[in-house]
Amino acid sequence: MLKGARTNNLKNIDVSMPLNKLTCVIGVSGSGKSSLISKTLYPAIAKKLGRKVDIAGDYDGISGTEGISEIYYVSQKPIGRNSRSTPGTYTGVFESIRDYYAKLDEAKAAKMTKEHFSFNSPKGQCEACKGTGEIAIPMYFMEDLYVSCDKCKGQRYKESVLKIRHKGYSIADLLDLEIGEVKEILNNEPGIYEALDILCRVGLSYLKLGQNANTLSGGEAQRIRLAKEICYGKAEGAIYILDEPTSGLHDDDVDKLYYIIRELISKGATVVVTEHNPRIIRQADYIIELGPEGGENGGFLLKEGFYFK
């Protein structure tokens, strides 16, 4: 239970959230959802867990956190700001793929290591573009123009690395394929397959494994973060906080996201979302509604309790 929350426009409210359930925090824009969840609840629990927090909301106290062992805030911030950051590198699955290629007989015969299959390593990256796959053309008074590298044709790697293939695919080929396609190619590699499968199950099978992080929407970045936490984080005793995770999603992808949330809960996690989408709200176990309006006329606790469907 969080007592006396007064961050920004919150009106000294007390709220409780059940563990091992899906809680939806709802209300109009500016009603205090972010103030309550991201600026008060999250740092309050993180502080209880011994973490250093940069933002500490204004509240009287928090209780009932004894059963919480970890907290994850899954935001919509970009996962990277340059072409070296991709869904594959961010989630860590590309590192496993590099390991796999380094163990292929052809790679061993050529005395190649895992480093040779990294476009960030001088051992494997194209010498002309340094592994970016593109060359910058200075435009002086305008932003630089980027064109595909003439030497590697945008493939990032040295020719010797591109000759190493699995089922006819070089590691550069995999980067240029959709995640769903890569999953089928590497379907006999349990660790790799499971990570790619999670990305597909959160509705991201259409993204390319090596897609530039700058081209991802906020919702895509958030789901990549969620997939990473599911793969390498923990569920039992953990709280996952998601900020409007359904923004811009098709109904089918909303349903996929909901099933992932329920899977986390079945494994012992607690999920708290700020949300507008009725498809998710209707499936919530517990509802917290703030309002009635935004700004100074918001921040009041209008409704709190278990949602009976």
Side-chain angles (χ1 to χ4, degrees):
M1 173 175 278
L2 184 67
K3 294 185 176 181
R6 300 179 297 278
T7 307
N8 296 332
N9 67 339
L10 297 177
K11 303 300 193 292
N12 197 34
I13 61 175
D14 299 341
V15 295
S16 59
M17 297 180 190
L19 297 179
N20 198 211
K21 300 291 183 183
L22 169 59
T23 294
C24 275
V25 182
I26 64 175
V28 300
S29 180
S31 60
K33 300 186 298 296
S34 292
S35 294
L36 177 63
I37 302 304
S38 63
K39 296 181 180 178
T40 309
L41 179 71
Y42 172 72
I45 295 176
K47 190 174 180 180
K48 280 279 189 178
L49 294 174
R51 288 191 193 174
K52 182 180 178 181
V53 294
D54 297 325
I55 299 174
D58 191 7
Y59 62 99
D60 291 335
I62 187 169
S63 60
T65 60
E66 296 80 14
I68 300 172
S69 57
E70 189 56 89
I71 186 166
Y72 303 102
Y73 183 77
V74 188
S75 72
Q76 293 195 6
K77 291 182 180 179
I79 61 171
R81 298 187 180 280
N82 59 59
S83 59
R84 296 183 188 275
S85 182
T86 70
T89 57
Y90 183 82
T91 58
V93 68
F94 188 59
E95 185 172 352
S96 299
I97 292 173
R98 287 168 47 214
D99 272 330
Y100 180 77
Y101 267 75
K103 292 175 183 177
L104 293 175
D105 290 340
E106 289 178 82
K108 289 179 180 179
K111 296 183 178 180
M112 289 185 181
T113 66
K114 178 180 177 179
E115 286 185 83
H116 287 86
F117 296 95
S118 170
F119 50 73
N120 290 321
S121 169
K123 290 185 178 181
Q125 66 185 201
C126 168
E127 295 171 351
C129 64
K130 305 302 181 186
T132 64
E134 54 190 15
I135 300 294
I137 300 175
M139 298 299 287
Y140 302 105
F141 298 109
M142 296 186 292
E143 290 188 9
D144 290 348
L145 177 66
Y146 289 87
V147 297
S148 181
C149 173
D150 283 338
K151 187 168 184 178
C152 69
K153 308 302 180 186
Q155 292 189 293
R156 298 175 179 254
Y157 290 95
K158 292 178 179 177
E159 183 63 31
S160 57
V161 176
L162 295 174
K163 289 179 180 178
I164 309 300
R165 295 177 176 269
H166 169 67
K167 295 182 179 180
Y169 296 94
S170 71
I171 196 164
D173 291 332
L174 295 191
L175 287 172
D176 200 41
L177 291 176
E178 293 181 357
I179 291 170
E181 295 174 308
V182 180
K183 185 183 80 166
E184 294 307 313
I185 293 168
L186 297 172
N187 59 358
N188 292 322
E189 299 306 310
I192 296 173
Y193 179 86
E194 289 165 5
L196 294 171
D197 185 53
I198 289 292
L199 285 164
C200 291
R201 288 168 61 199
V202 296
L204 296 175
S205 61
Y206 63 90
L207 291 182
K208 289 186 176 182
L209 187 67
Q211 189 166 331
N212 188 325
N214 288 332
T215 66
L216 302 175
S217 70
E220 289 169 337
Q222 184 182 50
R223 282 180 286 153
I224 288 173
R225 279 192 167 87
L226 179 60
K228 181 179 180 179
E229 298 298 356
I230 292 171
C231 287
Y232 306 111
K234 60 176 293 185
E236 188 172 359
I239 290 186
Y240 286 79
I241 295 177
L242 284 70
D243 183 16
E244 299 192 10
T246 64
S247 295
L249 295 190
H250 185 275
D251 285 348
D252 288 344
D253 288 331
V254 172
D255 292 338
K256 290 178 183 177
L257 180 64
Y258 172 71
Y259 291 132
I260 289 291
I261 288 173
R262 280 297 168 196
E263 184 174 331
L264 282 171
I265 292 171
S266 71
K267 293 179 179 178
T270 299
V271 180
V272 180
V273 301
T274 57
E275 192 55 81
H276 290 105
N277 192 307
R279 292 178 78 88
I280 292 291
I281 295 171
R282 283 196 297 265
Q283 300 298 330
D285 300 307
Y286 198 81
I287 295 286
I288 295 172
E289 184 176 4
L290 302 179
E293 299 177 22
E296 285 302 314
N297 294 322
F300 293 95
L301 179 61
L302 302 182
K303 186 186 301 181
E304 177 185 24
F306 283 94
Y307 183 61
F308 295 98
K309 306 172 185 64

